């Protein structure tokens, strides 16, 4: 398999890298974090102008026609700058779900609005009692007249506090926990009956707890066939996982670089601590963990066209590796920086928090190891 980037991928990498270097300095990011919405509308506009919001969509829709490798390129660049804009929530989780489930009219209207930076989306999928299980859905959507009435609660909706539109995963049939019977609905973030409690997460992002009380939607709010959303949902979630893993890779790279620079400059008893062999070995171990994450993420990113079972195994293996290796790199960076590594004014503390928190978005290491084990057991029984 040829892992050399194509000319288009190199151009995409240069575009993202230039944007992050020029517009996303550590001080600029801190100012963005202090804003009410937690991201920059100006940066989001630049994403649209540069075509970054169209990466996973077809050329016919005005996109880049990219896949897993292209999303990996974008995400690694975002990870290097600790970008906090709602790219994952709007483009990857919501946009690709619309692309898979929507009819021609829905896709033409909604995807063009995403690519143009006009509308931001959030995927309301997970619930408190289900934790990381996306099939645990108690939120209901019952037919009423010419539409549906939605009732329920969604937890930790990434950027759900500021999204213009929500994609709500609700149950139209079956029991809580069933794979069948899940449907996806478009719901206006300010619709009657929608209550959002937003908050800031420890890694600088924003999320929300959202309650739906007798929320009425028309039939054209339904994406795809009723009760048949689970396969498309899992595809979008796996894309989101690939992006998170790649973002972790970019953040881990910077954490390694900053730690190396620090131990070269920090002196103890008149000698740079980087000259101590024990610390050199620890730096080598950090780089090895980074390469583990980068390699397995690349494999997962190139696995979108394989069978769903194999794709899920590779994606879960990558996310589990991020949970282990990311924590190793984050903890080593903090220890080698010492007290400086714990200060909000020091960039490394923000990289460490983001790397560790990536483990908890869309399923932590334990969850994905369990999913991987279950998938392997199914294959063994089938054999």
């Amino acid at each position: 398999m040829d892992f050399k980037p194509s000319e288009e991928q190199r151009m995409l990498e240069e575009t993202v890298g230039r944007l992050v270097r020029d517009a996303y300095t550590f001080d600029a990011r801190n100012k963005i974090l202090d804003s009410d919405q937690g991201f920059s509308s100006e940066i989001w506009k630049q994403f649209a102008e540069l075509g970054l919001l169209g990466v996973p969509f077809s050329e016919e829709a005005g996109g880049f026609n990219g896949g897993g490798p292209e999303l990996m390129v974008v995400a690694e660049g975002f990870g290097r700058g600790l970008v906090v804009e709602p790219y994952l929530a709007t483009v990857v989780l919501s946009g690709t779900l619309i692309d898979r489930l929507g009819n021609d009219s829905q896709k033409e209207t909604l995807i063009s609005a995403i690519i143009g930076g006009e509308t931001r989306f959030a995927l309301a999928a997970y619930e408190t009692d289900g934790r990381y299980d996306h099939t645990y859905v108690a939120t209901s959507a019952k037919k009423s007249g010419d539409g549906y009435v939605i009732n329920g609660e969604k937890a930790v909706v990434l950027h759900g506090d500021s999204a213009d539109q929500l994609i709500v995963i609700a149950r139209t049939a079956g029991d809580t926990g069933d794979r069948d019977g899940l449907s996806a609905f478009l719901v206006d973030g300010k619709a009657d009956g929608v209550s959002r409690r937003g908050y800031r997460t420890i890694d600088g992002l924003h999320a929300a707890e959202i309650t739906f009380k007798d929320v009425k939607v028309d039939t054209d709010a339904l994406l795809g066939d009723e009760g048949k959303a689970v396969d498309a949902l899992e595809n979008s979630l796996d894309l989101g996982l690939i992006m998170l893993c790649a973002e972790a890779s970019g953040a881990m790279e910077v954490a390694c670089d900053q730690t190396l620079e620090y131990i070269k400059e920090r002196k103890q008893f008149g000698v740079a601590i980087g000259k101590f062999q024990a610390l050199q070995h620890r730096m080598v171990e950090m780089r090895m963990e980074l390469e583990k994450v980068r390699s397995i993420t690349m494999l997962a990113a190139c696995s979108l066209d394989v069978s769903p079972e194999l794709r899920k195994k590779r994606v879960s293996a990558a996310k589990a590796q991020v949970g282990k290796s990311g924590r190793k790199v984050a903890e080593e960076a903090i220890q080698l920086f010492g007290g400086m590594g714990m200060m909000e004014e020091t960039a490394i503390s923000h990289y460490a928090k983001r790397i560790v928190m990536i483990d908890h978005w869309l399923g932590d290491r334990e969850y994905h190891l369990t999913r991987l084990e279950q998938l392997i057991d199914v294959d063994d029984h089938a054999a």
Side-chain angles (χ1 to χ4, degrees), residues 334-369:
I334 293 297
Q335 289 186 24
L336 292 174
F337 264 84
M340 292 288 291
M342 301 296 292
M343 297 174 63
E344 283 288 311
E345 295 82 359
T346 306
I348 195 63
S349 69
H350 294 259
Y351 280 94
K353 285 189 287 188
R354 181 57 183 154
I355 292 168
V356 171
M357 278 302 297
I358 281 177
D359 179 36
H360 298 281
W361 288 107
L362 305 186
D364 60 13
R365 181 171 183 261
E366 181 179 352
Y367 172 82
H368 282 284
L369 283 175

mmCIF file of all heavy atoms in Angstrom, residues 334-369:
data_model
loop_
_atom_site.group_PDB
_atom_site.id
_atom_site.type_symbol
_atom_site.label_atom_id
_atom_site.label_comp_id
_atom_site.label_asym_id
_atom_site.label_seq_id
_atom_site.Cartn_x
_atom_site.Cartn_y
_atom_site.Cartn_z
ATOM 1 N N ILE A 334 3.886 16.535 30.978
ATOM 2 C CA ILE A 334 3.663 17.287 32.210
ATOM 3 C C ILE A 334 4.794 17.045 33.205
ATOM 4 O O ILE A 334 5.301 17.976 33.844
ATOM 5 C CB ILE A 334 2.307 16.902 32.835
ATOM 6 C CG1 ILE A 334 1.150 17.350 31.951
ATOM 7 C CG2 ILE A 334 2.163 17.500 34.236
ATOM 8 C CD1 ILE A 334 1.036 18.838 31.768
ATOM 9 N N GLN A 335 5.228 15.792 33.345
ATOM 10 C CA GLN A 335 6.282 15.480 34.304
ATOM 11 C C GLN A 335 7.608 16.109 33.907
ATOM 12 O O GLN A 335 8.346 16.611 34.755
ATOM 13 C CB GLN A 335 6.431 13.967 34.430
ATOM 14 C CG GLN A 335 5.269 13.300 35.153
ATOM 15 C CD GLN A 335 5.505 11.822 35.394
ATOM 16 O OE1 GLN A 335 6.636 11.372 35.444
ATOM 17 N NE2 GLN A 335 4.425 11.071 35.527
ATOM 18 N N LEU A 336 7.933 16.106 32.619
ATOM 19 C CA LEU A 336 9.199 16.679 32.181
ATOM 20 C C LEU A 336 9.189 18.206 32.252
ATOM 21 O O LEU A 336 10.233 18.825 32.470
ATOM 22 C CB LEU A 336 9.527 16.202 30.765
ATOM 23 C CG LEU A 336 9.860 14.703 30.652
ATOM 24 C CD1 LEU A 336 10.026 14.292 29.199
ATOM 25 C CD2 LEU A 336 11.120 14.377 31.436
ATOM 26 N N PHE A 337 8.025 18.796 32.082
ATOM 27 C CA PHE A 337 7.913 20.242 32.258
ATOM 28 C C PHE A 337 7.915 20.623 33.735
ATOM 29 O O PHE A 337 8.226 21.761 34.085
ATOM 30 C CB PHE A 337 6.623 20.765 31.607
ATOM 31 C CG PHE A 337 6.803 21.312 30.226
ATOM 32 C CD1 PHE A 337 6.803 20.472 29.129
ATOM 33 C CD2 PHE A 337 6.971 22.670 30.022
ATOM 34 C CE1 PHE A 337 6.956 20.964 27.840
ATOM 35 C CE2 PHE A 337 7.128 23.193 28.745
ATOM 36 C CZ PHE A 337 7.126 22.324 27.644
ATOM 37 N N GLY A 338 7.527 19.684 34.591
ATOM 38 C CA GLY A 338 7.449 19.995 36.013
ATOM 39 C C GLY A 338 6.291 20.933 36.307
ATOM 40 O O GLY A 338 5.239 20.870 35.673
ATOM 41 N N GLY A 339 6.484 21.837 37.250
ATOM 42 C CA GLY A 339 5.426 22.761 37.653
ATOM 43 C C GLY A 339 4.929 23.618 36.509
ATOM 44 O O GLY A 339 3.742 23.968 36.450
ATOM 45 N N MET A 340 5.807 23.959 35.564
ATOM 46 C CA MET A 340 5.402 24.772 34.414
ATOM 47 C C MET A 340 4.321 24.077 33.597
ATOM 48 O O MET A 340 3.467 24.716 32.987
ATOM 49 C CB MET A 340 6.615 25.047 33.523
ATOM 50 C CG MET A 340 7.653 25.954 34.150
ATOM 51 S SD MET A 340 7.090 27.665 34.238
ATOM 52 C CE MET A 340 7.082 28.088 32.503
ATOM 53 N N GLY A 341 4.346 22.752 33.583
ATOM 54 C CA GLY A 341 3.395 22.007 32.792
ATOM 55 C C GLY A 341 1.983 22.046 33.328
ATOM 56 O O GLY A 341 1.043 21.628 32.638
ATOM 57 N N MET A 342 1.807 22.528 34.568
ATOM 58 C CA MET A 342 0.483 22.583 35.176
ATOM 59 C C MET A 342 -0.159 23.954 35.045
ATOM 60 O O MET A 342 -1.306 24.147 35.448
ATOM 61 C CB MET A 342 0.581 22.219 36.667
ATOM 62 C CG MET A 342 1.148 20.837 36.932
ATOM 63 S SD MET A 342 0.101 19.528 36.283
ATOM 64 C CE MET A 342 -1.324 19.692 37.362
ATOM 65 N N MET A 343 0.553 24.913 34.486
ATOM 66 C CA MET A 343 0.075 26.293 34.440
ATOM 67 C C MET A 343 -0.781 26.545 33.204
ATOM 68 O O MET A 343 -0.454 26.084 32.102
ATOM 69 C CB MET A 343 1.251 27.258 34.450
ATOM 70 C CG MET A 343 2.102 27.191 35.714
ATOM 71 S SD MET A 343 3.563 28.234 35.606
ATOM 72 C CE MET A 343 2.813 29.861 35.449
ATOM 73 N N GLU A 344 -1.901 27.258 33.395
ATOM 74 C CA GLU A 344 -2.767 27.611 32.273
ATOM 75 C C GLU A 344 -2.038 28.472 31.249
ATOM 76 O O GLU A 344 -2.370 28.458 30.062
ATOM 77 C CB GLU A 344 -4.000 28.362 32.785
ATOM 78 C CG GLU A 344 -5.056 27.478 33.413
ATOM 79 C CD GLU A 344 -5.803 26.650 32.380
ATOM 80 O OE1 GLU A 344 -6.250 27.231 31.368
ATOM 81 O OE2 GLU A 344 -5.919 25.435 32.569
ATOM 82 N N GLU A 345 -1.049 29.231 31.706
ATOM 83 C CA GLU A 345 -0.310 30.114 30.810
ATOM 84 C C GLU A 345 0.654 29.363 29.910
ATOM 85 O O GLU A 345 1.217 29.931 28.970
ATOM 86 C CB GLU A 345 0.471 31.158 31.623
ATOM 87 C CG GLU A 345 -0.398 32.131 32.401
ATOM 88 C CD GLU A 345 -0.881 31.557 33.739
ATOM 89 O OE1 GLU A 345 -0.540 30.384 34.016
ATOM 90 O OE2 GLU A 345 -1.579 32.277 34.468
ATOM 91 N N THR A 346 0.881 28.081 30.194
ATOM 92 C CA THR A 346 1.804 27.278 29.409
ATOM 93 C C THR A 346 1.030 26.422 28.412
ATOM 94 O O THR A 346 0.104 25.704 28.784
ATOM 95 C CB THR A 346 2.640 26.358 30.321
ATOM 96 O OG1 THR A 346 3.279 27.146 31.327
ATOM 97 C CG2 THR A 346 3.702 25.628 29.523
ATOM 98 N N ALA A 347 1.409 26.475 27.160
ATOM 99 C CA ALA A 347 0.664 25.784 26.108
ATOM 100 C C ALA A 347 0.593 24.280 26.344
ATOM 101 O O ALA A 347 -0.424 23.646 26.045
ATOM 102 C CB ALA A 347 1.296 26.076 24.751
ATOM 103 N N ILE A 348 1.658 23.694 26.900
ATOM 104 C CA ILE A 348 1.691 22.241 27.049
ATOM 105 C C ILE A 348 0.548 21.733 27.920
ATOM 106 O O ILE A 348 0.052 20.619 27.708
ATOM 107 C CB ILE A 348 3.057 21.776 27.613
ATOM 108 C CG1 ILE A 348 3.237 20.269 27.414
ATOM 109 C CG2 ILE A 348 3.206 22.175 29.068
ATOM 110 C CD1 ILE A 348 3.280 19.816 25.995
ATOM 111 N N SER A 349 0.099 22.523 28.876
ATOM 112 C CA SER A 349 -1.005 22.079 29.729
ATOM 113 C C SER A 349 -2.288 21.933 28.919
ATOM 114 O O SER A 349 -3.091 21.019 29.160
ATOM 115 C CB SER A 349 -1.224 23.062 30.885
ATOM 116 O OG SER A 349 -1.732 24.308 30.428
ATOM 117 N N HIS A 350 -2.483 22.788 27.926
ATOM 118 C CA HIS A 350 -3.673 22.720 27.078
ATOM 119 C C HIS A 350 -3.591 21.525 26.126
ATOM 120 O O HIS A 350 -4.604 20.868 25.865
ATOM 121 C CB HIS A 350 -3.824 24.013 26.284
ATOM 122 C CG HIS A 350 -4.113 25.207 27.151
ATOM 123 N ND1 HIS A 350 -5.383 25.730 27.296
ATOM 124 C CD2 HIS A 350 -3.296 25.967 27.926
ATOM 125 C CE1 HIS A 350 -5.331 26.771 28.122
ATOM 126 N NE2 HIS A 350 -4.078 26.930 28.515
ATOM 127 N N TYR A 351 -2.384 21.258 25.619
ATOM 128 C CA TYR A 351 -2.221 20.083 24.765
ATOM 129 C C TYR A 351 -2.478 18.805 25.557
ATOM 130 O O TYR A 351 -3.137 17.876 25.071
ATOM 131 C CB TYR A 351 -0.811 20.056 24.157
ATOM 132 C CG TYR A 351 -0.683 20.971 22.970
ATOM 133 C CD1 TYR A 351 -0.219 22.282 23.126
ATOM 134 C CD2 TYR A 351 -1.037 20.553 21.696
ATOM 135 C CE1 TYR A 351 -0.113 23.138 22.048
ATOM 136 C CE2 TYR A 351 -0.935 21.400 20.603
ATOM 137 C CZ TYR A 351 -0.480 22.697 20.784
ATOM 138 O OH TYR A 351 -0.395 23.544 19.709
ATOM 139 N N ALA A 352 -1.972 18.758 26.782
ATOM 140 C CA ALA A 352 -2.167 17.562 27.612
ATOM 141 C C ALA A 352 -3.646 17.336 27.896
ATOM 142 O O ALA A 352 -4.143 16.199 27.810
ATOM 143 C CB ALA A 352 -1.386 17.703 28.917
ATOM 144 N N LYS A 353 -4.373 18.401 28.215
ATOM 145 C CA LYS A 353 -5.800 18.247 28.506
ATOM 146 C C LYS A 353 -6.576 17.776 27.275
ATOM 147 O O LYS A 353 -7.451 16.909 27.382
ATOM 148 C CB LYS A 353 -6.380 19.571 29.026
ATOM 149 C CG LYS A 353 -6.001 19.887 30.462
ATOM 150 C CD LYS A 353 -6.761 21.068 31.011
ATOM 151 C CE LYS A 353 -6.279 22.367 30.423
ATOM 152 N NZ LYS A 353 -6.897 23.548 31.099
ATOM 153 N N ARG A 354 -6.261 18.341 26.130
ATOM 154 C CA ARG A 354 -6.972 17.938 24.913
ATOM 155 C C ARG A 354 -6.668 16.482 24.551
ATOM 156 O O ARG A 354 -7.571 15.712 24.193
ATOM 157 C CB ARG A 354 -6.597 18.864 23.747
ATOM 158 C CG ARG A 354 -7.307 18.522 22.434
ATOM 159 C CD ARG A 354 -8.804 18.542 22.584
ATOM 160 N NE ARG A 354 -9.489 18.146 21.349
ATOM 161 C CZ ARG A 354 -10.693 17.613 21.289
ATOM 162 N NH1 ARG A 354 -11.372 17.376 22.403
ATOM 163 N NH2 ARG A 354 -11.243 17.296 20.142
ATOM 164 N N ILE A 355 -5.413 16.082 24.656
ATOM 165 C CA ILE A 355 -5.034 14.713 24.326
ATOM 166 C C ILE A 355 -5.757 13.722 25.226
ATOM 167 O O ILE A 355 -6.290 12.713 24.768
ATOM 168 C CB ILE A 355 -3.500 14.533 24.451
ATOM 169 C CG1 ILE A 355 -2.786 15.329 23.357
ATOM 170 C CG2 ILE A 355 -3.125 13.059 24.352
ATOM 171 C CD1 ILE A 355 -1.282 15.452 23.568
ATOM 172 N N VAL A 356 -5.796 14.008 26.517
ATOM 173 C CA VAL A 356 -6.456 13.106 27.464
ATOM 174 C C VAL A 356 -7.960 13.082 27.228
ATOM 175 O O VAL A 356 -8.597 12.019 27.269
ATOM 176 C CB VAL A 356 -6.142 13.512 28.915
ATOM 177 C CG1 VAL A 356 -7.003 12.727 29.906
ATOM 178 C CG2 VAL A 356 -4.663 13.275 29.220
ATOM 179 N N MET A 357 -8.559 14.232 26.957
ATOM 180 C CA MET A 357 -10.002 14.293 26.771
ATOM 181 C C MET A 357 -10.454 13.641 25.464
ATOM 182 O O MET A 357 -11.583 13.156 25.368
ATOM 183 C CB MET A 357 -10.491 15.737 26.824
ATOM 184 C CG MET A 357 -10.679 16.269 28.236
ATOM 185 S SD MET A 357 -11.855 15.287 29.202
ATOM 186 C CE MET A 357 -13.354 15.540 28.263
ATOM 187 N N ILE A 358 -9.597 13.604 24.459
ATOM 188 C CA ILE A 358 -9.956 12.931 23.212
ATOM 189 C C ILE A 358 -10.297 11.473 23.479
ATOM 190 O O ILE A 358 -11.169 10.890 22.822
ATOM 191 C CB ILE A 358 -8.813 13.053 22.175
ATOM 192 C CG1 ILE A 358 -8.849 14.447 21.535
ATOM 193 C CG2 ILE A 358 -8.929 11.984 21.086
ATOM 194 C CD1 ILE A 358 -7.727 14.721 20.560
ATOM 195 N N ASP A 359 -9.656 10.888 24.481
ATOM 196 C CA ASP A 359 -9.970 9.498 24.846
ATOM 197 C C ASP A 359 -11.433 9.331 25.228
ATOM 198 O O ASP A 359 -12.017 8.262 25.027
ATOM 199 C CB ASP A 359 -9.073 9.067 26.012
ATOM 200 C CG ASP A 359 -9.343 7.643 26.475
ATOM 201 O OD1 ASP A 359 -9.636 6.789 25.618
ATOM 202 O OD2 ASP A 359 -9.265 7.388 27.686
ATOM 203 N N HIS A 360 -12.055 10.376 25.747
ATOM 204 C CA HIS A 360 -13.416 10.260 26.273
ATOM 205 C C HIS A 360 -14.500 10.676 25.282
ATOM 206 O O HIS A 360 -15.680 10.448 25.548
ATOM 207 C CB HIS A 360 -13.546 11.101 27.551
ATOM 208 C CG HIS A 360 -12.641 10.635 28.646
ATOM 209 N ND1 HIS A 360 -12.926 9.547 29.445
ATOM 210 C CD2 HIS A 360 -11.429 11.090 29.052
ATOM 211 C CE1 HIS A 360 -11.943 9.362 30.307
ATOM 212 N NE2 HIS A 360 -11.029 10.278 30.091
ATOM 213 N N TRP A 361 -14.128 11.258 24.157
ATOM 214 C CA TRP A 361 -15.126 11.615 23.153
ATOM 215 C C TRP A 361 -15.423 10.399 22.272
ATOM 216 O O TRP A 361 -14.517 9.717 21.796
ATOM 217 C CB TRP A 361 -14.638 12.776 22.269
ATOM 218 C CG TRP A 361 -14.610 14.096 22.959
ATOM 219 C CD1 TRP A 361 -13.498 14.781 23.372
ATOM 220 C CD2 TRP A 361 -15.730 14.911 23.320
ATOM 221 N NE1 TRP A 361 -13.862 15.971 23.964
ATOM 222 C CE2 TRP A 361 -15.225 16.082 23.949
ATOM 223 C CE3 TRP A 361 -17.109 14.768 23.176
ATOM 224 C CZ2 TRP A 361 -16.047 17.093 24.420
ATOM 225 C CZ3 TRP A 361 -17.927 15.783 23.653
ATOM 226 C CH2 TRP A 361 -17.398 16.931 24.260
ATOM 227 N N LEU A 362 -16.710 10.111 22.068
ATOM 228 C CA LEU A 362 -17.181 9.013 21.212
ATOM 229 C C LEU A 362 -16.683 7.647 21.688
ATOM 230 O O LEU A 362 -16.449 6.743 20.880
ATOM 231 C CB LEU A 362 -16.768 9.237 19.746
ATOM 232 C CG LEU A 362 -17.182 10.558 19.096
ATOM 233 C CD1 LEU A 362 -16.818 10.557 17.618
ATOM 234 C CD2 LEU A 362 -18.659 10.828 19.283
ATOM 235 N N GLY A 363 -16.516 7.473 22.978
ATOM 236 C CA GLY A 363 -16.115 6.178 23.521
ATOM 237 C C GLY A 363 -14.669 6.175 23.970
ATOM 238 O O GLY A 363 -13.775 6.519 23.190
ATOM 239 N N ASP A 364 -14.429 5.789 25.227
ATOM 240 C CA ASP A 364 -13.060 5.778 25.746
ATOM 241 C C ASP A 364 -12.357 4.460 25.417
ATOM 242 O O ASP A 364 -12.905 3.585 24.737
ATOM 243 C CB ASP A 364 -13.043 6.051 27.250
ATOM 244 C CG ASP A 364 -13.826 5.004 28.046
ATOM 245 O OD1 ASP A 364 -14.175 3.945 27.480
ATOM 246 O OD2 ASP A 364 -14.086 5.255 29.235
ATOM 247 N N ARG A 365 -11.132 4.325 25.905
ATOM 248 C CA ARG A 365 -10.315 3.150 25.587
ATOM 249 C C ARG A 365 -11.003 1.855 26.018
ATOM 250 O O ARG A 365 -11.025 0.873 25.270
ATOM 251 C CB ARG A 365 -8.945 3.279 26.254
ATOM 252 C CG ARG A 365 -8.014 2.101 25.962
ATOM 253 C CD ARG A 365 -6.610 2.396 26.456
ATOM 254 N NE ARG A 365 -5.724 1.292 26.113
ATOM 255 C CZ ARG A 365 -5.367 0.323 26.957
ATOM 256 N NH1 ARG A 365 -5.835 0.334 28.199
ATOM 257 N NH2 ARG A 365 -4.550 -0.645 26.575
ATOM 258 N N GLU A 366 -11.554 1.847 27.211
ATOM 259 C CA GLU A 366 -12.205 0.642 27.712
ATOM 260 C C GLU A 366 -13.387 0.254 26.825
ATOM 261 O O GLU A 366 -13.572 -0.934 26.509
ATOM 262 C CB GLU A 366 -12.675 0.872 29.147
ATOM 263 C CG GLU A 366 -13.346 -0.336 29.774
ATOM 264 C CD GLU A 366 -13.780 -0.084 31.203
ATOM 265 O OE1 GLU A 366 -13.415 0.982 31.758
ATOM 266 O OE2 GLU A 366 -14.491 -0.938 31.763
ATOM 267 N N TYR A 367 -14.177 1.235 26.425
ATOM 268 C CA TYR A 367 -15.332 0.958 25.567
ATOM 269 C C TYR A 367 -14.888 0.344 24.244
ATOM 270 O O TYR A 367 -15.471 -0.645 23.772
ATOM 271 C CB TYR A 367 -16.121 2.239 25.310
ATOM 272 C CG TYR A 367 -17.217 2.086 24.282
ATOM 273 C CD1 TYR A 367 -18.460 1.566 24.628
ATOM 274 C CD2 TYR A 367 -17.004 2.447 22.949
ATOM 275 C CE1 TYR A 367 -19.464 1.403 23.680
ATOM 276 C CE2 TYR A 367 -17.997 2.295 21.999
ATOM 277 C CZ TYR A 367 -19.232 1.774 22.370
ATOM 278 O OH TYR A 367 -20.205 1.612 21.421
ATOM 279 N N HIS A 368 -13.860 0.919 23.624
ATOM 280 C CA HIS A 368 -13.453 0.436 22.305
ATOM 281 C C HIS A 368 -12.698 -0.887 22.381
ATOM 282 O O HIS A 368 -12.761 -1.690 21.435
ATOM 283 C CB HIS A 368 -12.654 1.509 21.577
ATOM 284 C CG HIS A 368 -13.528 2.580 21.003
ATOM 285 N ND1 HIS A 368 -14.268 2.394 19.864
ATOM 286 C CD2 HIS A 368 -13.836 3.825 21.449
ATOM 287 C CE1 HIS A 368 -14.973 3.483 19.603
ATOM 288 N NE2 HIS A 368 -14.736 4.358 20.558
ATOM 289 N N LEU A 369 -12.009 -1.154 23.477
ATOM 290 C CA LEU A 369 -11.412 -2.476 23.644
ATOM 291 C C LEU A 369 -12.506 -3.536 23.760
ATOM 292 O O LEU A 369 -12.392 -4.637 23.206
ATOM 293 C CB LEU A 369 -10.522 -2.500 24.882
ATOM 294 C CG LEU A 369 -9.145 -1.829 24.751
ATOM 295 C CD1 LEU A 369 -8.424 -1.832 26.086
ATOM 296 C CD2 LEU A 369 -8.292 -2.533 23.697
#
